[in-house]
Amino acid sequence: MMRTVLGRGETFRCEILNYRKNGTPFWNGLTVSPLRDAAGVITHSVSVQRDVTGQRTMQDQLRFLALHDPVTGLPNRTALDQYLFRGTGPGITAVGIIDLDDVKEINDAYGHETGDALLIDFARRLQRRTRDQGFLPGLAGMNSLSLLRAWAPETLTKI
């Protein structure tokens, strides 16, 4: 691909996962530009490399935050829309809506940190129960929706 782009006389840009001598990975932003002689013929190329690991990490974090609840880490409504749009494979066996009551009262009495800890623990417990059997997005407020793709009725009983 790079040869094709440079052969057309264009600048080639990409990001490459690279490894340091100690084995730690880093993202390398690579720019390669063709150099021409007086007649306009490409004779050489010059490249510039830079460590773009910080930018890649930030992009990954932003992508995660765009699709997940910042408190529980559960997928959000946007992720749910994408999941449903993509299709769910063999079909949804069950849909459940879970509403946690009195979280506002817990926040008011013990502080938001305690309420958040409750939500995080609850989300983890639900994720452990559903495992690979379904998709568990958190919705507005304290609601969660569970889309379960179970292959047998006994699987649903376990959840």
Side-chain angles (χ1 to χ4, degrees):
M1 182 168 171
M2 180 170 65
R3 286 180 193 244
T4 305
V5 172
L6 291 173
R8 292 191 309 249
E10 301 171 7
T11 297
F12 176 79
R13 290 182 181 84
C14 71
E15 291 181 357
I16 302 168
L17 181 59
N18 218 330
Y19 295 89
R20 294 182 180 87
K21 287 181 182 180
N22 67 5
T24 59
F26 72 98
W27 283 97
N28 197 0
L30 177 64
T31 303
V32 183
S33 299
L35 297 177
R36 301 174 188 276
D37 63 12
V41 177
I42 298 171
T43 58
H44 296 80
S45 60
V46 63
S47 71
V48 175
Q49 300 178 56
R50 59 190 175 92
D51 186 342
V52 293
T53 305
Q55 291 95 321
R56 287 291 295 240
T57 302
M58 184 64 69
Q59 288 171 348
D60 291 345
Q61 289 172 347
L62 289 172
R63 194 173 297 112
F64 181 85
L65 288 173
L67 297 173
H68 293 82
D69 177 79
V71 174
T72 63
L74 290 175
N76 61 18
R77 185 175 296 277
T78 303
L80 172 63
D81 290 344
Q82 289 180 4
Y83 179 80
L84 293 174
F85 182 74
R86 259 193 333 260
T88 57
I92 298 173
T93 302
V95 175
I97 296 178
I98 302 163
D99 185 8
L100 278 176
D101 292 333
D102 301 326
V103 175
K104 183 186 179 324
E105 286 77 7
I106 291 170
N107 284 341
D108 292 345
Y110 303 103
H112 286 275
E113 200 171 287
T114 302
D116 289 352
L118 171 72
L119 292 175
I120 291 166
D121 184 59
F122 183 72
R124 285 187 184 142
R125 288 174 187 231
L126 281 176
Q127 286 174 322
R128 277 196 308 267
R129 294 300 244 162
T130 57
R131 289 187 213 116
D132 297 333
Q133 301 291 329
F135 182 75
L136 183 67
L139 300 178
M142 307 309 153
N143 297 324
S144 287
L145 177 71
S146 183
L147 303 177
L148 301 175
R149 291 177 291 141
W151 307 114
E154 59 270 11
T155 307
L156 286 175
T157 341
K158 291 179 188 175
I159 296 172

